[in-house]
Amino acid sequence: MYANVTNVDEGHEIRYERQLKHPVEKVWRALTDPERLRAWLGRAEQLELSVGGAYEIHWENSDAVMDGTITELDPPRLLETDSSSHGRLRWELAPQGGGCELSLTVTMDAPDFLTKALAGWHLHIDVLESFLASGNRIDWEHDDWMADWERLHERYVELYGAEAGTTG
């Protein structure tokens, strides 16, 4: 359930794997449709679904912006983006029974931000799962997501050390 971290030339490779009860096509729409993206991640200011296309998401729960380029695209199985602020994100979907396996690989070079990023992406995948199950958009203003993030962050500090992500 928790992410695995591997040291690579680019810094850290973080990998999440989840078994979802939803078909690939439904999860793909949540990753690529601006209205669905806003329900669990952020506001898509630019989303050009082509290799080389612009990809700009404004987080709903902070002032963070992920702007970058789509580097690989194979609908509805693969979406990879590269961003200076959030590293490389590789979303992969594979059919499994009536649902699918979701794999998210984040490659980033930010050792002082590692456990924060681990908790953040973990939380976003949790919120994605909740949205897929209920269809309800998270209310970043009122839902108690920060307590969930803090719990996850504490666990990732236990797993990867206090020196990773406690500053910055």
Side-chain angles (χ1 to χ4, degrees):
M1 172 145 184
Y2 291 97
N4 292 316
V5 178
T6 305
N7 292 327
V8 294
D9 290 342
E10 299 89 356
H12 299 289
E13 184 177 273
I14 302 166
R15 185 161 175 91
Y16 302 87
E17 294 181 353
R18 297 279 179 95
Q19 307 305 311
L20 303 178
K21 297 177 183 177
H22 309 281
V24 165
E25 293 76 13
K26 182 176 183 179
V27 179
W28 181 257
R29 285 189 304 273
L31 295 175
T32 59
D33 176 85
E35 283 303 310
R36 289 178 174 93
L37 265 171
R38 192 165 190 177
W40 68 274
L41 181 62
R43 187 178 68 258
E45 292 292 323
Q46 291 187 316
L47 183 56
E48 300 169 16
L49 287 177
S50 62
V51 173
Y55 189 85
E56 182 178 329
I57 307 293
H58 293 248
W59 267 219
E60 294 284 330
N61 64 337
S62 75
D63 59 358
V65 175
M66 179 176 65
D67 60 338
T69 304
I70 294 176
T71 53
E72 287 192 54
L73 182 69
D74 183 13
R77 309 269 191 255
L78 171 66
L79 172 64
E80 183 179 274
T81 62
D82 198 5
S83 163
S84 60
S85 60
H86 286 79
R88 185 173 57 244
L89 277 71
R90 184 178 181 90
W91 299 90
E92 297 175 87
L93 304 173
Q96 190 170 65
C100 71
E101 178 179 72
L102 175 141
S103 298
L104 170 60
T105 304
V106 180
T107 306
M108 58 182 276
D109 182 21
D112 61 337
F113 193 69
L114 178 62
T115 57
K116 291 179 181 180
L118 283 161
W121 284 111
H122 189 129
L123 177 68
H124 280 299
I125 295 170
D126 288 350
V127 173
L128 169 61
E129 282 189 272
S130 176
F131 167 68
L132 290 168
S134 70
N136 294 327
R137 178 180 172 174
I138 187 168
D139 183 348
W140 293 108
E141 297 285 325
H142 298 100
D143 289 351
D144 194 16
W145 62 270
M146 192 62 178
D148 292 336
W149 182 88
E150 289 171 354
R151 177 185 49 78
L152 289 165
H153 184 249
E154 287 175 15
R155 180 65 180 133
Y156 280 115
V157 168
E158 289 173 12
L159 290 170
Y160 295 104
E163 66 279 356
T166 56
T167 63

